[in-house]
Amino acid sequence: MGEARNAIVEAARAQAVAGGWDGVRMGVVATAAGVSRQTVYNEFGTKAGLAEALARHEVDRFVGEVRAALDEHGPDVRAAAYAAIRRTLASAADNPLVKAILTSARGGSDELLPYLTTRADLVLAESTAALREWAGRHLPGADPTALAFAADSIVRLVVSHIVLPQAPVDETADKLADLAVHLFLAAATPR
């Protein structure tokens, strides 16, 4: 990401955290980023284009954390799954942008919420790919279709618990890690 583009995304993030996405104004973003309003429009086209870039930025950061957590535990399926799930849930709970999105949505409107729910294809694709790559390295004989299902299922459940948390992070991560072990080991067991 270019320097100006990154500054614009960071300015938009700060504005969304401060007042929700509905309150983000392209002119204010431009001023905060130190660029012209026209530069913002040239880079992103529309506010929706800026929302897409902001979502991509956050997803890339989250997926980087997932990859790091998985890699820290190598082939230990339980430890890797727990670490990745826990880190994701804790990071989302502490992330001011995620908090702003969820708080704004509960208040009635926020254009970024779909990036966690109905338009979560970016989150799902990137996170699932990270899990599949890790599993492919550490469960080499596993059925690729079953691995894809396992990774997709776990990611969807984690996103669900980000949007509507049901229990403390450690407890949720523990239970989802048990499920991940079951799904990944089932994929690795010949039938």
Side-chain angles (χ1 to χ4, degrees), residues 69-91:
L70 291 169
D71 290 343
E72 286 170 13
H73 297 281
D76 184 335
V77 176
R78 176 66 166 73
Y82 177 81
I85 293 165
R86 188 194 181 292
R87 187 173 295 176
T88 300
L89 292 172
S91 188

mmCIF file with all atom_site columns, all heavy atoms in Angstrom, residues 69-91:
data_model
loop_
_atom_site.group_PDB
_atom_site.id
_atom_site.type_symbol
_atom_site.label_atom_id
_atom_site.label_alt_id
_atom_site.label_comp_id
_atom_site.label_asym_id
_atom_site.label_entity_id
_atom_site.label_seq_id
_atom_site.pdbx_PDB_ins_code
_atom_site.Cartn_x
_atom_site.Cartn_y
_atom_site.Cartn_z
_atom_site.occupancy
_atom_site.B_iso_or_equiv
_atom_site.pdbx_formal_charge
_atom_site.auth_seq_id
_atom_site.auth_comp_id
_atom_site.auth_asym_id
_atom_site.auth_atom_id
_atom_site.pdbx_PDB_model_num
ATOM 1   N N   . ALA A 1 69 ? 0.207   -17.250 14.964 1.00 0.00 ? 69 ALA A N   1
ATOM 2   C CA  . ALA A 1 69 ? -0.220  -18.155 16.041 1.00 0.00 ? 69 ALA A CA  1
ATOM 3   C C   . ALA A 1 69 ? -0.141  -19.608 15.597 1.00 0.00 ? 69 ALA A C   1
ATOM 4   O O   . ALA A 1 69 ? 0.321   -20.469 16.364 1.00 0.00 ? 69 ALA A O   1
ATOM 5   C CB  . ALA A 1 69 ? -1.636  -17.812 16.487 1.00 0.00 ? 69 ALA A CB  1
ATOM 6   N N   . LEU A 1 70 ? -0.568  -19.891 14.391 1.00 0.00 ? 70 LEU A N   1
ATOM 7   C CA  . LEU A 1 70 ? -0.501  -21.264 13.884 1.00 0.00 ? 70 LEU A CA  1
ATOM 8   C C   . LEU A 1 70 ? 0.951   -21.724 13.779 1.00 0.00 ? 70 LEU A C   1
ATOM 9   O O   . LEU A 1 70 ? 1.296   -22.829 14.208 1.00 0.00 ? 70 LEU A O   1
ATOM 10  C CB  . LEU A 1 70 ? -1.182  -21.366 12.511 1.00 0.00 ? 70 LEU A CB  1
ATOM 11  C CG  . LEU A 1 70 ? -2.693  -21.192 12.486 1.00 0.00 ? 70 LEU A CG  1
ATOM 12  C CD1 . LEU A 1 70 ? -3.188  -21.048 11.053 1.00 0.00 ? 70 LEU A CD1 1
ATOM 13  C CD2 . LEU A 1 70 ? -3.388  -22.350 13.179 1.00 0.00 ? 70 LEU A CD2 1
ATOM 14  N N   . ASP A 1 71 ? 1.796   -20.877 13.208 1.00 0.00 ? 71 ASP A N   1
ATOM 15  C CA  . ASP A 1 71 ? 3.195   -21.243 12.999 1.00 0.00 ? 71 ASP A CA  1
ATOM 16  C C   . ASP A 1 71 ? 3.957   -21.440 14.303 1.00 0.00 ? 71 ASP A C   1
ATOM 17  O O   . ASP A 1 71 ? 4.885   -22.243 14.363 1.00 0.00 ? 71 ASP A O   1
ATOM 18  C CB  . ASP A 1 71 ? 3.897   -20.196 12.130 1.00 0.00 ? 71 ASP A CB  1
ATOM 19  C CG  . ASP A 1 71 ? 3.405   -20.226 10.686 1.00 0.00 ? 71 ASP A CG  1
ATOM 20  O OD1 . ASP A 1 71 ? 2.782   -21.239 10.282 1.00 0.00 ? 71 ASP A OD1 1
ATOM 21  O OD2 . ASP A 1 71 ? 3.627   -19.229 9.966  1.00 0.00 ? 71 ASP A OD2 1
ATOM 22  N N   . GLU A 1 72 ? 3.556   -20.719 15.360 1.00 0.00 ? 72 GLU A N   1
ATOM 23  C CA  . GLU A 1 72 ? 4.215   -20.869 16.659 1.00 0.00 ? 72 GLU A CA  1
ATOM 24  C C   . GLU A 1 72 ? 4.076   -22.291 17.208 1.00 0.00 ? 72 GLU A C   1
ATOM 25  O O   . GLU A 1 72 ? 4.880   -22.721 18.021 1.00 0.00 ? 72 GLU A O   1
ATOM 26  C CB  . GLU A 1 72 ? 3.616   -19.901 17.683 1.00 0.00 ? 72 GLU A CB  1
ATOM 27  C CG  . GLU A 1 72 ? 4.014   -18.467 17.491 1.00 0.00 ? 72 GLU A CG  1
ATOM 28  C CD  . GLU A 1 72 ? 3.212   -17.514 18.386 1.00 0.00 ? 72 GLU A CD  1
ATOM 29  O OE1 . GLU A 1 72 ? 2.531   -17.972 19.329 1.00 0.00 ? 72 GLU A OE1 1
ATOM 30  O OE2 . GLU A 1 72 ? 3.267   -16.302 18.123 1.00 0.00 ? 72 GLU A OE2 1
ATOM 31  N N   . HIS A 1 73 ? 3.035   -23.007 16.771 1.00 0.00 ? 73 HIS A N   1
ATOM 32  C CA  . HIS A 1 73 ? 2.753   -24.326 17.344 1.00 0.00 ? 73 HIS A CA  1
ATOM 33  C C   . HIS A 1 73 ? 2.935   -25.465 16.357 1.00 0.00 ? 73 HIS A C   1
ATOM 34  O O   . HIS A 1 73 ? 2.667   -26.624 16.708 1.00 0.00 ? 73 HIS A O   1
ATOM 35  C CB  . HIS A 1 73 ? 1.344   -24.332 17.942 1.00 0.00 ? 73 HIS A CB  1
ATOM 36  C CG  . HIS A 1 73 ? 1.219   -23.361 19.060 1.00 0.00 ? 73 HIS A CG  1
ATOM 37  N ND1 . HIS A 1 73 ? 1.680   -23.631 20.328 1.00 0.00 ? 73 HIS A ND1 1
ATOM 38  C CD2 . HIS A 1 73 ? 0.745   -22.099 19.103 1.00 0.00 ? 73 HIS A CD2 1
ATOM 39  C CE1 . HIS A 1 73 ? 1.481   -22.579 21.099 1.00 0.00 ? 73 HIS A CE1 1
ATOM 40  N NE2 . HIS A 1 73 ? 0.917   -21.636 20.384 1.00 0.00 ? 73 HIS A NE2 1
ATOM 41  N N   . GLY A 1 74 ? 3.370   -25.158 15.149 1.00 0.00 ? 74 GLY A N   1
ATOM 42  C CA  . GLY A 1 74 ? 3.686   -26.197 14.172 1.00 0.00 ? 74 GLY A CA  1
ATOM 43  C C   . GLY A 1 74 ? 2.602   -27.242 14.027 1.00 0.00 ? 74 GLY A C   1
ATOM 44  O O   . GLY A 1 74 ? 1.435   -26.908 13.838 1.00 0.00 ? 74 GLY A O   1
ATOM 45  N N   . PRO A 1 75 ? 2.973   -28.516 14.154 1.00 0.00 ? 75 PRO A N   1
ATOM 46  C CA  . PRO A 1 75 ? 2.020   -29.602 13.898 1.00 0.00 ? 75 PRO A CA  1
ATOM 47  C C   . PRO A 1 75 ? 1.078   -29.935 15.060 1.00 0.00 ? 75 PRO A C   1
ATOM 48  O O   . PRO A 1 75 ? 0.225   -30.809 14.919 1.00 0.00 ? 75 PRO A O   1
ATOM 49  C CB  . PRO A 1 75 ? 2.929   -30.801 13.601 1.00 0.00 ? 75 PRO A CB  1
ATOM 50  C CG  . PRO A 1 75 ? 4.169   -30.523 14.388 1.00 0.00 ? 75 PRO A CG  1
ATOM 51  C CD  . PRO A 1 75 ? 4.337   -29.027 14.357 1.00 0.00 ? 75 PRO A CD  1
ATOM 52  N N   . ASP A 1 76 ? 1.210   -29.255 16.185 1.00 0.00 ? 76 ASP A N   1
ATOM 53  C CA  . ASP A 1 76 ? 0.333   -29.527 17.330 1.00 0.00 ? 76 ASP A CA  1
ATOM 54  C C   . ASP A 1 76 ? -1.034  -28.887 17.042 1.00 0.00 ? 76 ASP A C   1
ATOM 55  O O   . ASP A 1 76 ? -1.248  -27.698 17.275 1.00 0.00 ? 76 ASP A O   1
ATOM 56  C CB  . ASP A 1 76 ? 0.945   -28.954 18.606 1.00 0.00 ? 76 ASP A CB  1
ATOM 57  C CG  . ASP A 1 76 ? 0.138   -29.291 19.856 1.00 0.00 ? 76 ASP A CG  1
ATOM 58  O OD1 . ASP A 1 76 ? -1.090  -29.531 19.745 1.00 0.00 ? 76 ASP A OD1 1
ATOM 59  O OD2 . ASP A 1 76 ? 0.731   -29.286 20.951 1.00 0.00 ? 76 ASP A OD2 1
ATOM 60  N N   . VAL A 1 77 ? -1.948  -29.700 16.515 1.00 0.00 ? 77 VAL A N   1
ATOM 61  C CA  . VAL A 1 77 ? -3.244  -29.203 16.046 1.00 0.00 ? 77 VAL A CA  1
ATOM 62  C C   . VAL A 1 77 ? -3.983  -28.472 17.166 1.00 0.00 ? 77 VAL A C   1
ATOM 63  O O   . VAL A 1 77 ? -4.495  -27.368 16.961 1.00 0.00 ? 77 VAL A O   1
ATOM 64  C CB  . VAL A 1 77 ? -4.104  -30.350 15.468 1.00 0.00 ? 77 VAL A CB  1
ATOM 65  C CG1 . VAL A 1 77 ? -5.492  -29.842 15.080 1.00 0.00 ? 77 VAL A CG1 1
ATOM 66  C CG2 . VAL A 1 77 ? -3.417  -30.977 14.264 1.00 0.00 ? 77 VAL A CG2 1
ATOM 67  N N   . ARG A 1 78 ? -4.037  -29.040 18.336 1.00 0.00 ? 78 ARG A N   1
ATOM 68  C CA  . ARG A 1 78 ? -4.805  -28.442 19.440 1.00 0.00 ? 78 ARG A CA  1
ATOM 69  C C   . ARG A 1 78 ? -4.208  -27.103 19.866 1.00 0.00 ? 78 ARG A C   1
ATOM 70  O O   . ARG A 1 78 ? -4.900  -26.109 20.005 1.00 0.00 ? 78 ARG A O   1
ATOM 71  C CB  . ARG A 1 78 ? -4.855  -29.420 20.629 1.00 0.00 ? 78 ARG A CB  1
ATOM 72  C CG  . ARG A 1 78 ? -5.555  -28.865 21.872 1.00 0.00 ? 78 ARG A CG  1
ATOM 73  C CD  . ARG A 1 78 ? -7.029  -28.643 21.593 1.00 0.00 ? 78 ARG A CD  1
ATOM 74  N NE  . ARG A 1 78 ? -7.886  -28.421 22.720 1.00 0.00 ? 78 ARG A NE  1
ATOM 75  C CZ  . ARG A 1 78 ? -7.960  -27.323 23.474 1.00 0.00 ? 78 ARG A CZ  1
ATOM 76  N NH1 . ARG A 1 78 ? -7.142  -26.316 23.274 1.00 0.00 ? 78 ARG A NH1 1
ATOM 77  N NH2 . ARG A 1 78 ? -8.858  -27.218 24.427 1.00 0.00 ? 78 ARG A NH2 1
ATOM 78  N N   . ALA A 1 79 ? -2.889  -27.094 20.060 1.00 0.00 ? 79 ALA A N   1
ATOM 79  C CA  . ALA A 1 79 ? -2.232  -25.870 20.508 1.00 0.00 ? 79 ALA A CA  1
ATOM 80  C C   . ALA A 1 79 ? -2.316  -24.777 19.442 1.00 0.00 ? 79 ALA A C   1
ATOM 81  O O   . ALA A 1 79 ? -2.572  -23.608 19.754 1.00 0.00 ? 79 ALA A O   1
ATOM 82  C CB  . ALA A 1 79 ? -0.772  -26.146 20.874 1.00 0.00 ? 79 ALA A CB  1
ATOM 83  N N   . ALA A 1 80 ? -2.115  -25.153 18.190 1.00 0.00 ? 80 ALA A N   1
ATOM 84  C CA  . ALA A 1 80 ? -2.174  -24.172 17.102 1.00 0.00 ? 80 ALA A CA  1
ATOM 85  C C   . ALA A 1 80 ? -3.580  -23.613 16.951 1.00 0.00 ? 80 ALA A C   1
ATOM 86  O O   . ALA A 1 80 ? -3.760  -22.391 16.817 1.00 0.00 ? 80 ALA A O   1
ATOM 87  C CB  . ALA A 1 80 ? -1.716  -24.817 15.789 1.00 0.00 ? 80 ALA A CB  1
ATOM 88  N N   . ALA A 1 81 ? -4.575  -24.482 16.987 1.00 0.00 ? 81 ALA A N   1
ATOM 89  C CA  . ALA A 1 81 ? -5.963  -24.028 16.851 1.00 0.00 ? 81 ALA A CA  1
ATOM 90  C C   . ALA A 1 81 ? -6.340  -23.114 18.012 1.00 0.00 ? 81 ALA A C   1
ATOM 91  O O   . ALA A 1 81 ? -6.909  -22.034 17.797 1.00 0.00 ? 81 ALA A O   1
ATOM 92  C CB  . ALA A 1 81 ? -6.914  -25.224 16.780 1.00 0.00 ? 81 ALA A CB  1
ATOM 93  N N   . TYR A 1 82 ? -6.014  -23.528 19.218 1.00 0.00 ? 82 TYR A N   1
ATOM 94  C CA  . TYR A 1 82 ? -6.347  -22.701 20.383 1.00 0.00 ? 82 TYR A CA  1
ATOM 95  C C   . TYR A 1 82 ? -5.671  -21.328 20.282 1.00 0.00 ? 82 TYR A C   1
ATOM 96  O O   . TYR A 1 82 ? -6.305  -20.298 20.490 1.00 0.00 ? 82 TYR A O   1
ATOM 97  C CB  . TYR A 1 82 ? -5.940  -23.399 21.688 1.00 0.00 ? 82 TYR A CB  1
ATOM 98  C CG  . TYR A 1 82 ? -6.222  -22.533 22.897 1.00 0.00 ? 82 TYR A CG  1
ATOM 99  C CD1 . TYR A 1 82 ? -7.500  -22.466 23.438 1.00 0.00 ? 82 TYR A CD1 1
ATOM 100 C CD2 . TYR A 1 82 ? -5.219  -21.746 23.458 1.00 0.00 ? 82 TYR A CD2 1
ATOM 101 C CE1 . TYR A 1 82 ? -7.781  -21.646 24.526 1.00 0.00 ? 82 TYR A CE1 1
ATOM 102 C CE2 . TYR A 1 82 ? -5.489  -20.922 24.545 1.00 0.00 ? 82 TYR A CE2 1
ATOM 103 C CZ  . TYR A 1 82 ? -6.765  -20.882 25.074 1.00 0.00 ? 82 TYR A CZ  1
ATOM 104 O OH  . TYR A 1 82 ? -7.029  -20.051 26.134 1.00 0.00 ? 82 TYR A OH  1
ATOM 105 N N   . ALA A 1 83 ? -4.387  -21.322 19.974 1.00 0.00 ? 83 ALA A N   1
ATOM 106 C CA  . ALA A 1 83 ? -3.649  -20.057 19.912 1.00 0.00 ? 83 ALA A CA  1
ATOM 107 C C   . ALA A 1 83 ? -4.226  -19.125 18.845 1.00 0.00 ? 83 ALA A C   1
ATOM 108 O O   . ALA A 1 83 ? -4.412  -17.933 19.090 1.00 0.00 ? 83 ALA A O   1
ATOM 109 C CB  . ALA A 1 83 ? -2.171  -20.323 19.641 1.00 0.00 ? 83 ALA A CB  1
ATOM 110 N N   . ALA A 1 84 ? -4.509  -19.665 17.673 1.00 0.00 ? 84 ALA A N   1
ATOM 111 C CA  . ALA A 1 84 ? -5.039  -18.834 16.588 1.00 0.00 ? 84 ALA A CA  1
ATOM 112 C C   . ALA A 1 84 ? -6.437  -18.317 16.914 1.00 0.00 ? 84 ALA A C   1
ATOM 113 O O   . ALA A 1 84 ? -6.737  -17.136 16.703 1.00 0.00 ? 84 ALA A O   1
ATOM 114 C CB  . ALA A 1 84 ? -5.061  -19.634 15.292 1.00 0.00 ? 84 ALA A CB  1
ATOM 115 N N   . ILE A 1 85 ? -7.281  -19.177 17.444 1.00 0.00 ? 85 ILE A N   1
ATOM 116 C CA  . ILE A 1 85 ? -8.647  -18.777 17.780 1.00 0.00 ? 85 ILE A CA  1
ATOM 117 C C   . ILE A 1 85 ? -8.640  -17.770 18.923 1.00 0.00 ? 85 ILE A C   1
ATOM 118 O O   . ILE A 1 85 ? -9.302  -16.734 18.855 1.00 0.00 ? 85 ILE A O   1
ATOM 119 C CB  . ILE A 1 85 ? -9.511  -20.010 18.120 1.00 0.00 ? 85 ILE A CB  1
ATOM 120 C CG1 . ILE A 1 85 ? -9.717  -20.871 16.865 1.00 0.00 ? 85 ILE A CG1 1
ATOM 121 C CG2 . ILE A 1 85 ? -10.856 -19.589 18.724 1.00 0.00 ? 85 ILE A CG2 1
ATOM 122 C CD1 . ILE A 1 85 ? -10.240 -22.268 17.146 1.00 0.00 ? 85 ILE A CD1 1
ATOM 123 N N   . ARG A 1 86 ? -7.879  -18.053 19.963 1.00 0.00 ? 86 ARG A N   1
ATOM 124 C CA  . ARG A 1 86 ? -7.833  -17.147 21.109 1.00 0.00 ? 86 ARG A CA  1
ATOM 125 C C   . ARG A 1 86 ? -7.293  -15.779 20.707 1.00 0.00 ? 86 ARG A C   1
ATOM 126 O O   . ARG A 1 86 ? -7.842  -14.750 21.071 1.00 0.00 ? 86 ARG A O   1
ATOM 127 C CB  . ARG A 1 86 ? -6.980  -17.727 22.229 1.00 0.00 ? 86 ARG A CB  1
ATOM 128 C CG  . ARG A 1 86 ? -7.122  -16.865 23.474 1.00 0.00 ? 86 ARG A CG  1
ATOM 129 C CD  . ARG A 1 86 ? -6.087  -17.124 24.526 1.00 0.00 ? 86 ARG A CD  1
ATOM 130 N NE  . ARG A 1 86 ? -6.341  -16.254 25.669 1.00 0.00 ? 86 ARG A NE  1
ATOM 131 C CZ  . ARG A 1 86 ? -6.191  -14.935 25.644 1.00 0.00 ? 86 ARG A CZ  1
ATOM 132 N NH1 . ARG A 1 86 ? -5.799  -14.325 24.539 1.00 0.00 ? 86 ARG A NH1 1
ATOM 133 N NH2 . ARG A 1 86 ? -6.454  -14.203 26.718 1.00 0.00 ? 86 ARG A NH2 1
ATOM 134 N N   . ARG A 1 87 ? -6.209  -15.787 19.942 1.00 0.00 ? 87 ARG A N   1
ATOM 135 C CA  . ARG A 1 87 ? -5.619  -14.515 19.519 1.00 0.00 ? 87 ARG A CA  1
ATOM 136 C C   . ARG A 1 87 ? -6.615  -13.714 18.685 1.00 0.00 ? 87 ARG A C   1
ATOM 137 O O   . ARG A 1 87 ? -6.744  -12.506 18.847 1.00 0.00 ? 87 ARG A O   1
ATOM 138 C CB  . ARG A 1 87 ? -4.335  -14.760 18.733 1.00 0.00 ? 87 ARG A CB  1
ATOM 139 C CG  . ARG A 1 87 ? -3.604  -13.458 18.424 1.00 0.00 ? 87 ARG A CG  1
ATOM 140 C CD  . ARG A 1 87 ? -2.256  -13.681 17.804 1.00 0.00 ? 87 ARG A CD  1
ATOM 141 N NE  . ARG A 1 87 ? -1.358  -14.339 18.733 1.00 0.00 ? 87 ARG A NE  1
ATOM 142 C CZ  . ARG A 1 87 ? -0.128  -14.734 18.419 1.00 0.00 ? 87 ARG A CZ  1
ATOM 143 N NH1 . ARG A 1 87 ? 0.340   -14.519 17.204 1.00 0.00 ? 87 ARG A NH1 1
ATOM 144 N NH2 . ARG A 1 87 ? 0.631   -15.333 19.299 1.00 0.00 ? 87 ARG A NH2 1
ATOM 145 N N   . THR A 1 88 ? -7.340  -14.384 17.807 1.00 0.00 ? 88 THR A N   1
ATOM 146 C CA  . THR A 1 88 ? -8.324  -13.698 16.968 1.00 0.00 ? 88 THR A CA  1
ATOM 147 C C   . THR A 1 88 ? -9.458  -13.124 17.801 1.00 0.00 ? 88 THR A C   1
ATOM 148 O O   . THR A 1 88 ? -9.826  -11.954 17.645 1.00 0.00 ? 88 THR A O   1
ATOM 149 C CB  . THR A 1 88 ? -8.886  -14.662 15.901 1.00 0.00 ? 88 THR A CB  1
ATOM 150 O OG1 . THR A 1 88 ? -7.801  -15.125 15.086 1.00 0.00 ? 88 THR A OG1 1
ATOM 151 C CG2 . THR A 1 88 ? -9.914  -13.977 15.030 1.00 0.00 ? 88 THR A CG2 1
ATOM 152 N N   . LEU A 1 89 ? -10.014 -13.926 18.692 1.00 0.00 ? 89 LEU A N   1
ATOM 153 C CA  . LEU A 1 89 ? -11.118 -13.452 19.532 1.00 0.00 ? 89 LEU A CA  1
ATOM 154 C C   . LEU A 1 89 ? -10.681 -12.307 20.447 1.00 0.00 ? 89 LEU A C   1
ATOM 155 O O   . LEU A 1 89 ? -11.392 -11.301 20.584 1.00 0.00 ? 89 LEU A O   1
ATOM 156 C CB  . LEU A 1 89 ? -11.694 -14.594 20.370 1.00 0.00 ? 89 LEU A CB  1
ATOM 157 C CG  . LEU A 1 89 ? -12.429 -15.693 19.604 1.00 0.00 ? 89 LEU A CG  1
ATOM 158 C CD1 . LEU A 1 89 ? -12.769 -16.848 20.548 1.00 0.00 ? 89 LEU A CD1 1
ATOM 159 C CD2 . LEU A 1 89 ? -13.672 -15.159 18.925 1.00 0.00 ? 89 LEU A CD2 1
ATOM 160 N N   . ALA A 1 90 ? -9.515  -12.446 21.063 1.00 0.00 ? 90 ALA A N   1
ATOM 161 C CA  . ALA A 1 90 ? -9.023  -11.404 21.972 1.00 0.00 ? 90 ALA A CA  1
ATOM 162 C C   . ALA A 1 90 ? -8.692  -10.135 21.202 1.00 0.00 ? 90 ALA A C   1
ATOM 163 O O   . ALA A 1 90 ? -9.029  -9.028  21.639 1.00 0.00 ? 90 ALA A O   1
ATOM 164 C CB  . ALA A 1 90 ? -7.797  -11.906 22.734 1.00 0.00 ? 90 ALA A CB  1
ATOM 165 N N   . SER A 1 91 ? -8.069  -10.287 20.056 1.00 0.00 ? 91 SER A N   1
ATOM 166 C CA  . SER A 1 91 ? -7.710  -9.127  19.254 1.00 0.00 ? 91 SER A CA  1
ATOM 167 C C   . SER A 1 91 ? -8.960  -8.396  18.765 1.00 0.00 ? 91 SER A C   1
ATOM 168 O O   . SER A 1 91 ? -9.022  -7.169  18.796 1.00 0.00 ? 91 SER A O   1
ATOM 169 C CB  . SER A 1 91 ? -6.847  -9.576  18.075 1.00 0.00 ? 91 SER A CB  1
ATOM 170 O OG  . SER A 1 91 ? -6.338  -8.482  17.389 1.00 0.00 ? 91 SER A OG  1
#
